[in-house]
């Protein structure tokens, strides 16, 4: 059974060591995403309909809101170090807007220095020490990964790519409505109508603007809210699921496991809030 071995929340986002033994279906995150192998078998991360092998010397990167899925490569399980980096945190620690968080490649060939950082970070997260001390190492690994992803690529036009998002007022309205109605069963036909569009036109426009379907976007918002409630409140898992519109704890647990990789009760048990 897949499990979280350690989870650390901080100003940067979150870092986790997962022991994964089953696939994670297509999903997305607001944060940038890096996946490194720590132990066990190799894994495969699908980004943009392309499979990328994750092994000791190869990592996968995922841009904010970019749909991706996880699978095992002929192995029973894989222990991974997974980083979820807030774009604004990365920007605040960088020298200019040119360093805003968007990876140039979805697959990275790691050098010895980067593999050492991965091992040290994983060991640090698994220790009982103050996890705040790992932030410097985390940023260094993140910065090395970012720079490596752009070697041989043109790191220009970030603002142009950003302007394509949210440029249509109907997409902005849809996002606002989703954020205001996380506790309600999502009906995309009603949402499209609220935005003055047919359902097919709405899906096409939303995916062109945001890079993912409105269903995936809504699932991301609900998963984020669930993580926040698990970390910051004493609500039961059942109550959190009910607040998000799930009919039972079982349906909420299935949703959370599909989007995060582990059950919500396990996430709360091992998570450390920094």
């Amino acid at each position: 059974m897949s499990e979280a071995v350690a989870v650390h929340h901080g100003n940067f986002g979150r870092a986790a060591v997962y022991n994964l033994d089953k696939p994670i279906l297509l999903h997305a995150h607001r944060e940038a995403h890096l996946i490194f192998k720590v132990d066990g078998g190799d894994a495969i991360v699908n980004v943009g309909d392309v499979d990328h092998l994750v092994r000791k010397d190869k990592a996968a990167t995922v841009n904010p809101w970019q749909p991706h899925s996880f699978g095992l490569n002929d192995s029973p399980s894989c222990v991974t170090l997974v980083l979820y980096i807030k774009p604004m945190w990365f920007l605040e620690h960088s020298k200019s807007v040119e360093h805003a968080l968007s990876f140039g490649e979805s697959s990275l060939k790691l050098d010895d220095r980067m593999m050492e950082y991965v091992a040290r970070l994983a060991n640090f997260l698994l220790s009982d020490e103050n996890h705040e001390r790992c932030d410097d190492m985390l940023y260094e690994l993140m910065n090395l990964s970012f720079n490596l992803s752009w070697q041989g690529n043109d790191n220009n036009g970030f603002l142009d790519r950003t302007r394509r998002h949210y440029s249509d007022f109907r997409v902005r309205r849809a996002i606002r409505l989703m954020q205001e109605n996380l506790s309600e069963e999502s009906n995309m036909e009603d949402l499209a109508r609220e935005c003055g569009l047919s359902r097919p036109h709405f899906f096409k426009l939303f995916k062109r603007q945001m890079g993912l379907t409105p269903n995936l976007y809504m699932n991301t918002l609900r998963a984020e809210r669930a993580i926040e409630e698990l970390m910051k409140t004493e609500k039961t898992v059942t109550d959190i699921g009910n607040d998000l519109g799930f009919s039972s704890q079982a349906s909420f647990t299935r949703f959370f496991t599909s989007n995060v990789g582990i059950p919500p009760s396990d996430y709360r048990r091992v998570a450390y809030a920094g």
Side-chain angles (χ1 to χ4, degrees), residues 6-10 12-17 81-84 125 134 138:
V7 180
H8 168 45
H9 284 245
F12 63 88
R14 55 194 167 108
V17 177
L81 170 66
V82 186
L83 308 183
Y84 306 81
L125 289 172
C134 76
L138 192 148

Side-chain angles (χ1 to χ4, degrees), residues 130-196:
N130 186 345
H131 291 176
E132 288 295 331
R133 289 179 49 203
C134 76
D135 285 14
D136 289 342
M137 281 191 294
L138 192 148
Y139 177 75
E140 186 63 23
L141 177 59
M142 182 69 200
N143 199 44
L144 288 169
S145 300
F146 176 84
N147 291 332
L148 180 60
S149 78
W150 283 106
Q151 283 187 4
N153 291 287
D154 178 20
N155 186 13
N156 293 315
F158 170 80
L159 291 178
D160 289 338
R161 293 194 300 274
T162 302
R163 290 189 187 105
R164 289 200 296 268
H165 286 196
Y166 313 109
S167 62
D168 191 287
F169 73 94
R170 294 163 295 185
V171 171
R172 294 198 301 271
R173 175 169 173 75
I175 289 171
R176 185 175 70 253
L177 290 170
M178 289 184 196
Q179 292 170 338
E180 293 172 352
N181 298 281
L182 289 181
S183 62
E184 298 179 9
E185 189 70 28
S186 56
N187 186 317
M188 291 302 162
E189 191 157 343
D190 290 345
L191 183 60
R193 190 180 302 112
E194 286 274 356
C195 298

Side-chain angles (χ1 to χ4, degrees), residues 11-27:
N11 292 330
F12 63 88
R14 55 194 167 108
V17 177
Y18 292 133
N19 181 18
L20 299 171
D21 65 2
K22 62 182 63 175
I24 302 176
L25 303 180
L26 191 69
H27 62 290

Side-chain angles (χ1 to χ4, degrees), residues 14 17 42 73 90 94 108 111 118 128 139 168 196 214 235 263:
R14 55 194 167 108
V17 177
D42 297 339
N73 186 38
F90 186 74
S94 300
L108 301 178
D111 59 23
V118 170
D128 293 328
Y139 177 75
D168 191 287
K235 293 180 182 178

